[in-house]
Amino acid sequence: NMKTVRVFIRAKNEAKALEKTLLEIKKQEMKPLEIVILDNDSQDGTAEVANRCGAKVERFSDAEFTYGRALNQSLKLTGGDIIVFLSVHSPPCSIQWLTELVNPIAAGKTKVTFGRQVPIAGFNVYEEWFVLRNFPAKRSAFQEMLGLQLDTFSNGNAAVTRNLLEKYPFREDLAFAEDIEWSERLEKQGEV
């Protein structure tokens, strides 16, 4: 049931980017039942922006924070059968974004999907370079020639069934790449 879709976004001092991302989510043809912002001790009005845009705000302290632990909090802080993870710096690029992300799950074809990320220009130059490098609009001739894989899972734009996340939580002890480790673990278990 599409009405059980919840969007989960981690944020720390992201008021400006968050507003743009939330406004793009509000334009979606398919409306999520809930948008939850996990606010990590923001000091710039992030929570106020989230509230103004109709999102639910939950707090998460710096002392508790790891990327994996924050993602696993989605199980406690949201209901529903499908949890959508979205980076605050990668707002939806079309009004069909949510539909296209969750339809394969709703149709029973898979338990997890992810999409290309397109960063907001000028927010974080390093992140912008990294995201565009890893999620290009198309492969270069050189990448094609080498057969480079450009579809590494990222939780910056992904949908996961609650059941799968309950069975395989993200590792909470990793400093980064918790999403890549998670997807590789699922692949070894034959889940994807």
mmCIF file of all heavy atoms in Angstrom, residues 89-90 93 115-140 143 149-151 154:
data_model
loop_
_atom_site.group_PDB
_atom_site.id
_atom_site.type_symbol
_atom_site.label_atom_id
_atom_site.label_comp_id
_atom_site.label_asym_id
_atom_site.label_seq_id
_atom_site.Cartn_x
_atom_site.Cartn_y
_atom_site.Cartn_z
ATOM 1 N N HIS A 89 20.736 17.110 0.698
ATOM 2 C CA HIS A 89 21.408 17.782 -0.417
ATOM 3 C C HIS A 89 21.030 17.229 -1.781
ATOM 4 O O HIS A 89 21.599 17.653 -2.789
ATOM 5 C CB HIS A 89 22.927 17.702 -0.251
ATOM 6 C CG HIS A 89 23.429 18.466 0.924
ATOM 7 N ND1 HIS A 89 24.476 18.049 1.688
ATOM 8 C CD2 HIS A 89 23.001 19.627 1.468
ATOM 9 C CE1 HIS A 89 24.677 18.921 2.659
ATOM 10 N NE2 HIS A 89 23.795 19.887 2.541
ATOM 11 N N SER A 90 20.117 16.267 -1.829
ATOM 12 C CA SER A 90 19.701 15.687 -3.104
ATOM 13 C C SER A 90 18.186 15.733 -3.249
ATOM 14 O O SER A 90 17.507 14.706 -3.177
ATOM 15 C CB SER A 90 20.201 14.236 -3.213
ATOM 16 O OG SER A 90 21.598 14.193 -3.231
ATOM 17 N N CYS A 93 14.140 15.507 -8.324
ATOM 18 C CA CYS A 93 14.277 16.271 -9.573
ATOM 19 C C CYS A 93 13.028 16.239 -10.436
ATOM 20 O O CYS A 93 12.962 16.931 -11.444
ATOM 21 C CB CYS A 93 15.453 15.724 -10.384
ATOM 22 S SG CYS A 93 17.038 16.005 -9.602
ATOM 23 N N GLY A 115 18.022 5.472 -6.251
ATOM 24 C CA GLY A 115 18.041 6.272 -7.458
ATOM 25 C C GLY A 115 19.266 7.157 -7.529
ATOM 26 O O GLY A 115 20.012 7.304 -6.560
ATOM 27 N N ARG A 116 19.426 7.754 -8.676
ATOM 28 C CA ARG A 116 20.512 8.697 -8.909
ATOM 29 C C ARG A 116 20.318 9.908 -7.996
ATOM 30 O O ARG A 116 19.203 10.303 -7.692
ATOM 31 C CB ARG A 116 20.480 9.137 -10.372
ATOM 32 C CG ARG A 116 21.562 10.111 -10.728
ATOM 33 C CD ARG A 116 21.613 10.365 -12.241
ATOM 34 N NE ARG A 116 22.670 11.326 -12.479
ATOM 35 C CZ ARG A 116 22.453 12.591 -12.812
ATOM 36 N NH1 ARG A 116 21.233 13.038 -13.013
ATOM 37 N NH2 ARG A 116 23.471 13.406 -12.974
ATOM 38 N N GLN A 117 21.423 10.477 -7.575
ATOM 39 C CA GLN A 117 21.367 11.693 -6.776
ATOM 40 C C GLN A 117 21.872 12.865 -7.605
ATOM 41 O O GLN A 117 22.843 12.729 -8.338
ATOM 42 C CB GLN A 117 22.239 11.548 -5.535
ATOM 43 C CG GLN A 117 21.741 10.486 -4.583
ATOM 44 C CD GLN A 117 22.721 10.260 -3.465
ATOM 45 O OE1 GLN A 117 23.118 11.188 -2.789
ATOM 46 N NE2 GLN A 117 23.114 9.013 -3.282
ATOM 47 N N VAL A 118 21.199 13.983 -7.475
ATOM 48 C CA VAL A 118 21.622 15.221 -8.122
ATOM 49 C C VAL A 118 21.746 16.262 -7.023
ATOM 50 O O VAL A 118 20.744 16.641 -6.410
ATOM 51 C CB VAL A 118 20.617 15.677 -9.203
ATOM 52 C CG1 VAL A 118 21.076 16.965 -9.840
ATOM 53 C CG2 VAL A 118 20.418 14.579 -10.244
ATOM 54 N N PRO A 119 22.966 16.702 -6.736
ATOM 55 C CA PRO A 119 23.159 17.615 -5.605
ATOM 56 C C PRO A 119 22.670 19.033 -5.904
ATOM 57 O O PRO A 119 22.525 19.433 -7.050
ATOM 58 C CB PRO A 119 24.678 17.611 -5.424
ATOM 59 C CG PRO A 119 25.208 17.345 -6.793
ATOM 60 C CD PRO A 119 24.211 16.401 -7.431
ATOM 61 N N ILE A 120 22.431 19.777 -4.825
ATOM 62 C CA ILE A 120 22.119 21.196 -4.955
ATOM 63 C C ILE A 120 23.438 21.914 -5.213
ATOM 64 O O ILE A 120 24.368 21.820 -4.410
ATOM 65 C CB ILE A 120 21.480 21.750 -3.660
ATOM 66 C CG1 ILE A 120 20.181 21.001 -3.341
ATOM 67 C CG2 ILE A 120 21.214 23.243 -3.794
ATOM 68 C CD1 ILE A 120 19.584 21.359 -1.989
ATOM 69 N N ALA A 121 23.533 22.606 -6.314
ATOM 70 C CA ALA A 121 24.778 23.283 -6.687
ATOM 71 C C ALA A 121 25.163 24.331 -5.646
ATOM 72 O O ALA A 121 24.317 25.103 -5.185
ATOM 73 C CB ALA A 121 24.636 23.931 -8.057
ATOM 74 N N GLY A 122 26.434 24.317 -5.269
ATOM 75 C CA GLY A 122 26.977 25.357 -4.415
ATOM 76 C C GLY A 122 26.878 25.140 -2.915
ATOM 77 O O GLY A 122 27.399 25.938 -2.154
ATOM 78 N N PHE A 123 26.246 24.064 -2.464
ATOM 79 C CA PHE A 123 26.121 23.855 -1.015
ATOM 80 C C PHE A 123 27.393 23.288 -0.405
ATOM 81 O O PHE A 123 27.824 23.710 0.654
ATOM 82 C CB PHE A 123 24.938 22.945 -0.686
ATOM 83 C CG PHE A 123 23.681 23.715 -0.463
ATOM 84 C CD1 PHE A 123 22.796 23.942 -1.500
ATOM 85 C CD2 PHE A 123 23.382 24.255 0.768
ATOM 86 C CE1 PHE A 123 21.637 24.665 -1.314
ATOM 87 C CE2 PHE A 123 22.228 24.984 0.981
ATOM 88 C CZ PHE A 123 21.353 25.197 -0.069
ATOM 89 N N ASN A 124 27.946 22.281 -1.061
ATOM 90 C CA ASN A 124 29.141 21.629 -0.551
ATOM 91 C C ASN A 124 29.906 21.134 -1.773
ATOM 92 O O ASN A 124 29.524 20.142 -2.393
ATOM 93 C CB ASN A 124 28.754 20.473 0.382
ATOM 94 C CG ASN A 124 29.950 19.740 0.950
ATOM 95 O OD1 ASN A 124 30.957 19.535 0.273
ATOM 96 N ND2 ASN A 124 29.822 19.327 2.195
ATOM 97 N N VAL A 125 30.980 21.807 -2.108
ATOM 98 C CA VAL A 125 31.706 21.523 -3.350
ATOM 99 C C VAL A 125 32.221 20.094 -3.379
ATOM 100 O O VAL A 125 32.106 19.402 -4.393
ATOM 101 C CB VAL A 125 32.864 22.535 -3.540
ATOM 102 C CG1 VAL A 125 33.695 22.186 -4.758
ATOM 103 C CG2 VAL A 125 32.307 23.936 -3.668
ATOM 104 N N TYR A 126 32.790 19.620 -2.277
ATOM 105 C CA TYR A 126 33.314 18.253 -2.242
ATOM 106 C C TYR A 126 32.184 17.245 -2.446
ATOM 107 O O TYR A 126 32.299 16.332 -3.247
ATOM 108 C CB TYR A 126 34.043 17.971 -0.918
ATOM 109 C CG TYR A 126 34.426 16.523 -0.788
ATOM 110 C CD1 TYR A 126 35.489 15.999 -1.531
ATOM 111 C CD2 TYR A 126 33.692 15.659 0.015
ATOM 112 C CE1 TYR A 126 35.823 14.663 -1.448
ATOM 113 C CE2 TYR A 126 34.017 14.320 0.100
ATOM 114 C CZ TYR A 126 35.084 13.823 -0.631
ATOM 115 O OH TYR A 126 35.407 12.498 -0.561
ATOM 116 N N GLU A 127 31.083 17.422 -1.710
ATOM 117 C CA GLU A 127 29.963 16.494 -1.842
ATOM 118 C C GLU A 127 29.380 16.554 -3.253
ATOM 119 O O GLU A 127 29.021 15.532 -3.833
ATOM 120 C CB GLU A 127 28.880 16.815 -0.813
ATOM 121 C CG GLU A 127 27.723 15.850 -0.868
ATOM 122 C CD GLU A 127 26.659 16.122 0.181
ATOM 123 O OE1 GLU A 127 26.902 16.890 1.119
ATOM 124 O OE2 GLU A 127 25.572 15.548 0.042
ATOM 125 N N GLU A 128 29.301 17.748 -3.807
ATOM 126 C CA GLU A 128 28.784 17.905 -5.170
ATOM 127 C C GLU A 128 29.638 17.124 -6.165
ATOM 128 O O GLU A 128 29.130 16.375 -7.002
ATOM 129 C CB GLU A 128 28.766 19.394 -5.527
ATOM 130 C CG GLU A 128 28.071 19.710 -6.816
ATOM 131 C CD GLU A 128 27.979 21.205 -7.056
ATOM 132 O OE1 GLU A 128 28.100 22.007 -6.096
ATOM 133 O OE2 GLU A 128 27.785 21.577 -8.226
ATOM 134 N N TRP A 129 30.969 17.249 -6.052
ATOM 135 C CA TRP A 129 31.875 16.508 -6.935
ATOM 136 C C TRP A 129 31.689 15.001 -6.758
ATOM 137 O O TRP A 129 31.577 14.259 -7.728
ATOM 138 C CB TRP A 129 33.331 16.905 -6.624
ATOM 139 C CG TRP A 129 34.321 16.028 -7.314
ATOM 140 C CD1 TRP A 129 34.784 16.164 -8.592
ATOM 141 C CD2 TRP A 129 34.952 14.855 -6.789
ATOM 142 N NE1 TRP A 129 35.663 15.147 -8.890
ATOM 143 C CE2 TRP A 129 35.781 14.336 -7.789
ATOM 144 C CE3 TRP A 129 34.896 14.198 -5.564
ATOM 145 C CZ2 TRP A 129 36.551 13.190 -7.613
ATOM 146 C CZ3 TRP A 129 35.661 13.055 -5.386
ATOM 147 C CH2 TRP A 129 36.474 12.565 -6.392
ATOM 148 N N PHE A 130 31.635 14.550 -5.496
ATOM 149 C CA PHE A 130 31.508 13.125 -5.196
ATOM 150 C C PHE A 130 30.218 12.556 -5.764
ATOM 151 O O PHE A 130 30.210 11.509 -6.407
ATOM 152 C CB PHE A 130 31.578 12.914 -3.680
ATOM 153 C CG PHE A 130 31.455 11.474 -3.278
ATOM 154 C CD1 PHE A 130 32.552 10.627 -3.337
ATOM 155 C CD2 PHE A 130 30.237 10.969 -2.841
ATOM 156 C CE1 PHE A 130 32.435 9.299 -2.977
ATOM 157 C CE2 PHE A 130 30.111 9.641 -2.479
ATOM 158 C CZ PHE A 130 31.221 8.804 -2.544
ATOM 159 N N VAL A 131 29.107 13.252 -5.543
ATOM 160 C CA VAL A 131 27.809 12.759 -6.001
ATOM 161 C C VAL A 131 27.746 12.738 -7.530
ATOM 162 O O VAL A 131 27.305 11.757 -8.128
ATOM 163 C CB VAL A 131 26.654 13.592 -5.402
ATOM 164 C CG1 VAL A 131 25.330 13.277 -6.071
ATOM 165 C CG2 VAL A 131 26.568 13.356 -3.902
ATOM 166 N N LEU A 132 28.215 13.797 -8.170
ATOM 167 C CA LEU A 132 28.185 13.824 -9.639
ATOM 168 C C LEU A 132 29.111 12.771 -10.244
ATOM 169 O O LEU A 132 28.817 12.203 -11.289
ATOM 170 C CB LEU A 132 28.541 15.217 -10.152
ATOM 171 C CG LEU A 132 27.477 16.279 -9.888
ATOM 172 C CD1 LEU A 132 27.981 17.650 -10.313
ATOM 173 C CD2 LEU A 132 26.171 15.935 -10.588
ATOM 174 N N ARG A 133 30.219 12.499 -9.575
ATOM 175 C CA ARG A 133 31.149 11.460 -10.041
ATOM 176 C C ARG A 133 30.514 10.075 -9.926
ATOM 177 O O ARG A 133 30.657 9.236 -10.806
ATOM 178 C CB ARG A 133 32.440 11.508 -9.223
ATOM 179 C CG ARG A 133 33.452 10.471 -9.611
ATOM 180 C CD ARG A 133 34.688 10.575 -8.690
ATOM 181 N NE ARG A 133 35.506 9.416 -8.821
ATOM 182 C CZ ARG A 133 35.346 8.283 -8.140
ATOM 183 N NH1 ARG A 133 34.374 8.165 -7.284
ATOM 184 N NH2 ARG A 133 36.151 7.259 -8.319
ATOM 185 N N ASN A 134 29.807 9.829 -8.826
ATOM 186 C CA ASN A 134 29.229 8.517 -8.578
ATOM 187 C C ASN A 134 27.839 8.324 -9.170
ATOM 188 O O ASN A 134 27.386 7.192 -9.321
ATOM 189 C CB ASN A 134 29.200 8.231 -7.073
ATOM 190 C CG ASN A 134 30.592 7.954 -6.553
ATOM 191 O OD1 ASN A 134 31.219 6.974 -6.920
ATOM 192 N ND2 ASN A 134 31.090 8.845 -5.720
ATOM 193 N N PHE A 135 27.164 9.401 -9.488
ATOM 194 C CA PHE A 135 25.823 9.323 -10.071
ATOM 195 C C PHE A 135 25.731 10.236 -11.292
ATOM 196 O O PHE A 135 24.924 11.167 -11.325
ATOM 197 C CB PHE A 135 24.761 9.704 -9.024
ATOM 198 C CG PHE A 135 24.715 8.753 -7.872
ATOM 199 C CD1 PHE A 135 25.401 9.030 -6.704
ATOM 200 C CD2 PHE A 135 24.014 7.572 -7.961
ATOM 201 C CE1 PHE A 135 25.380 8.149 -5.633
ATOM 202 C CE2 PHE A 135 23.976 6.679 -6.889
ATOM 203 C CZ PHE A 135 24.667 6.971 -5.732
ATOM 204 N N PRO A 136 26.571 9.985 -12.302
ATOM 205 C CA PRO A 136 26.533 10.840 -13.490
ATOM 206 C C PRO A 136 25.250 10.624 -14.286
ATOM 207 O O PRO A 136 24.590 9.589 -14.153
ATOM 208 C CB PRO A 136 27.748 10.360 -14.299
ATOM 209 C CG PRO A 136 27.898 8.922 -13.905
ATOM 210 C CD PRO A 136 27.502 8.860 -12.448
ATOM 211 N N ALA A 137 24.908 11.606 -15.091
ATOM 212 C CA ALA A 137 23.721 11.479 -15.947
ATOM 213 C C ALA A 137 23.898 10.340 -16.942
ATOM 214 O O ALA A 137 22.948 9.649 -17.290
ATOM 215 C CB ALA A 137 23.451 12.790 -16.677
ATOM 216 N N LYS A 138 25.138 10.137 -17.393
ATOM 217 C CA LYS A 138 25.438 9.000 -18.270
ATOM 218 C C LYS A 138 26.910 8.655 -18.132
ATOM 219 O O LYS A 138 27.724 9.496 -17.730
ATOM 220 C CB LYS A 138 25.076 9.290 -19.720
ATOM 221 C CG LYS A 138 25.883 10.396 -20.358
ATOM 222 C CD LYS A 138 25.479 10.585 -21.803
ATOM 223 C CE LYS A 138 26.474 11.535 -22.466
ATOM 224 N NZ LYS A 138 26.351 11.556 -23.889
ATOM 225 N N ARG A 139 27.253 7.430 -18.467
ATOM 226 C CA ARG A 139 28.642 6.984 -18.398
ATOM 227 C C ARG A 139 29.460 7.641 -19.498
ATOM 228 O O ARG A 139 28.981 7.833 -20.608
ATOM 229 C CB ARG A 139 28.729 5.469 -18.584
ATOM 230 C CG ARG A 139 28.258 4.690 -17.402
ATOM 231 C CD ARG A 139 28.508 3.203 -17.638
ATOM 232 N NE ARG A 139 28.274 2.477 -16.428
ATOM 233 C CZ ARG A 139 27.478 1.435 -16.332
ATOM 234 N NH1 ARG A 139 26.849 0.979 -17.398
ATOM 235 N NH2 ARG A 139 27.313 0.816 -15.191
ATOM 236 N N SER A 140 30.702 7.966 -19.159
ATOM 237 C CA SER A 140 31.612 8.475 -20.177
ATOM 238 C C SER A 140 32.064 7.313 -21.062
ATOM 239 O O SER A 140 31.913 6.139 -20.698
ATOM 240 C CB SER A 140 32.833 9.123 -19.517
ATOM 241 O OG SER A 140 33.657 8.124 -18.923
ATOM 242 N N GLN A 143 34.456 5.177 -19.122
ATOM 243 C CA GLN A 143 33.785 4.310 -18.154
ATOM 244 C C GLN A 143 33.112 3.135 -18.855
ATOM 245 O O GLN A 143 33.141 2.006 -18.363
ATOM 246 C CB GLN A 143 32.766 5.118 -17.343
ATOM 247 C CG GLN A 143 33.420 6.110 -16.410
ATOM 248 C CD GLN A 143 32.450 7.165 -15.915
ATOM 249 O OE1 GLN A 143 31.515 7.543 -16.606
ATOM 250 N NE2 GLN A 143 32.691 7.649 -14.707
ATOM 251 N N GLN A 149 31.257 -0.126 -12.938
ATOM 252 C CA GLN A 149 29.932 -0.147 -12.320
ATOM 253 C C GLN A 149 29.664 1.216 -11.702
ATOM 254 O O GLN A 149 30.459 1.713 -10.933
ATOM 255 C CB GLN A 149 29.887 -1.223 -11.236
ATOM 256 C CG GLN A 149 28.562 -1.311 -10.549
ATOM 257 C CD GLN A 149 28.565 -2.395 -9.483
ATOM 258 O OE1 GLN A 149 29.459 -3.202 -9.418
ATOM 259 N NE2 GLN A 149 27.543 -2.378 -8.653
ATOM 260 N N LEU A 150 28.543 1.804 -12.057
ATOM 261 C CA LEU A 150 28.199 3.125 -11.519
ATOM 262 C C LEU A 150 26.924 3.076 -10.693
ATOM 263 O O LEU A 150 26.334 4.092 -10.408
ATOM 264 C CB LEU A 150 28.023 4.122 -12.671
ATOM 265 C CG LEU A 150 29.280 4.398 -13.469
ATOM 266 C CD1 LEU A 150 28.965 5.344 -14.618
ATOM 267 C CD2 LEU A 150 30.364 4.979 -12.599
ATOM 268 N N ASP A 151 26.536 1.881 -10.308
ATOM 269 C CA ASP A 151 25.268 1.773 -9.585
ATOM 270 C C ASP A 151 25.468 1.244 -8.165
ATOM 271 O O ASP A 151 24.777 0.367 -7.721
ATOM 272 C CB ASP A 151 24.278 0.914 -10.364
ATOM 273 C CG ASP A 151 24.843 -0.464 -10.706
ATOM 274 O OD1 ASP A 151 26.018 -0.723 -10.420
ATOM 275 O OD2 ASP A 151 24.084 -1.274 -11.242
ATOM 276 N N SER A 154 23.316 3.641 -2.476
ATOM 277 C CA SER A 154 23.490 4.782 -1.587
ATOM 278 C C SER A 154 22.173 5.043 -0.885
ATOM 279 O O SER A 154 21.105 4.999 -1.501
ATOM 280 C CB SER A 154 23.892 6.026 -2.376
ATOM 281 O OG SER A 154 23.815 7.164 -1.545
#
